[in-house]
Amino acid sequence: MKNINFLIVGVGGQGTVLSGDILAEVGMAAGYDSKKSDVLGLAIRGGSVVSHVRWGEKINAPMSMKGTVDYLLAFEPLEAMRMVEYLNQNSTAIVNEYRIPPVAVTTGHAKYPSVQEIRQALNSSAKKVFSINATEKANELGNVRVVNILLLGALSSICGISPSLWKKVIKRYVPKRFSPINLLAFQTGRELMSKLIKGYNSIA
């Protein structure tokens, strides 16, 4: 059983830690040994948040080494760019297009990289890069807070785990009254990713 390494990155308040919890639980439910480790920024909201999740037959360490991540799930473009050293030429990155400038940018001490700079950094570090405006789609569904589940839906479509298993885990982690909107977001993410994969393959 090959180890599968995931890296989820975002900023405080985006549900990054919850997404990592769900991903780790999905791995265990699918029969893997699964471990998770979170790295939180200085600020609860607005600081960088990183979740390492690893699946395998026997996982001894919860954190991935640089150059070993198979899947990068980024809730914010700059946070994705910051983590390219963890990727390799077989990695797949799924990136939310919505920008949340860090304090250094909003105070004028730094410049937010251009779309081209971020895209070049990711494309030179990963085999496949998929860009989704997940925040916009979550707003269209009526609740921007489901952006994390929408992105998990996108990730689920390339992980080879049954959607029904993902849905069972999601329902355990979200409040019951919010299950319908979260399950809709999950399915929306899967559908968006399916379209992106078809477009990617047609170009390739």
Side-chain angles (χ1 to χ4, degrees):
M1 184 182 292
K2 178 184 179 294
N3 289 353
I4 306 173
N5 299 326
F6 302 89
L7 191 62
I8 305 177
V9 299
V11 300
Q14 288 188 297
T16 311
V17 173
L18 175 61
S19 297
D21 290 341
I22 291 171
L23 182 58
E25 183 73 20
V26 166
M28 285 189 285
Y32 291 96
D33 182 21
S34 178
K35 286 187 171 60
K36 174 181 182 285
S37 178
D38 298 317
V39 181
L40 307 180
L42 294 177
I44 295 175
R45 297 187 70 87
S48 297
V49 181
V50 179
S51 287
H52 294 258
V53 179
R54 305 187 68 211
W55 297 353
E57 184 173 358
K58 177 62 177 176
I59 301 297
N60 295 312
M63 296 181 71
S64 300
M65 301 295 289
K66 293 176 181 179
T68 66
V69 164
D70 299 292
Y71 300 101
L72 171 67
L73 186 65
F75 292 9
E76 203 282 333
L78 178 56
E79 298 303 322
M81 185 178 182
R82 287 172 168 170
M83 293 295 165
V84 294
E85 61 189 345
Y86 282 90
L87 303 176
N88 59 64
Q89 293 304 309
N90 292 312
S91 301
T92 296
I94 301 173
V95 184
N96 182 16
E97 297 172 2
Y98 186 75
R99 296 183 172 202
I100 303 177
V103 173
V105 172
T106 58
T107 56
H109 291 90
K111 180 183 177 183
Y112 197 101
S114 68
V115 172
Q116 291 75 18
E117 288 171 326
I118 293 173
R119 186 175 297 157
Q120 181 178 2
L122 290 168
N123 285 336
S124 63
S125 302
K127 183 177 182 178
K128 296 181 180 179
V129 179
F130 297 98
S131 182
I132 300 175
N133 196 332
T135 302
E136 180 181 276
K137 290 296 180 181
N139 270 318
E140 290 175 3
L141 295 178
N143 190 338
V144 70
R145 296 186 68 179
V146 300
V147 65
N148 58 340
I149 304 301
L150 193 150
L151 286 166
L152 280 180
L155 177 64
S156 75
S157 66
I158 57 175
C159 287
I161 305 297
S162 167
S164 62
L165 190 153
W166 284 85
K167 291 175 183 178
K168 287 180 183 178
V169 174
I170 289 168
K171 285 193 285 187
R172 288 204 297 267
Y173 274 86
V174 302
K176 187 174 181 180
R177 68 184 185 278
F178 294 125
S179 284
I181 185 66
N182 277 281
L183 293 177
L184 177 59
F186 176 80
Q187 187 59 36
T188 299
R190 286 183 61 84
E191 292 170 0
L192 287 171
M193 191 64 177
S194 177
K195 292 177 182 177
L196 288 174
I197 291 172
K198 287 180 181 178
Y200 192 97
N201 289 339
S202 65
I203 293 172

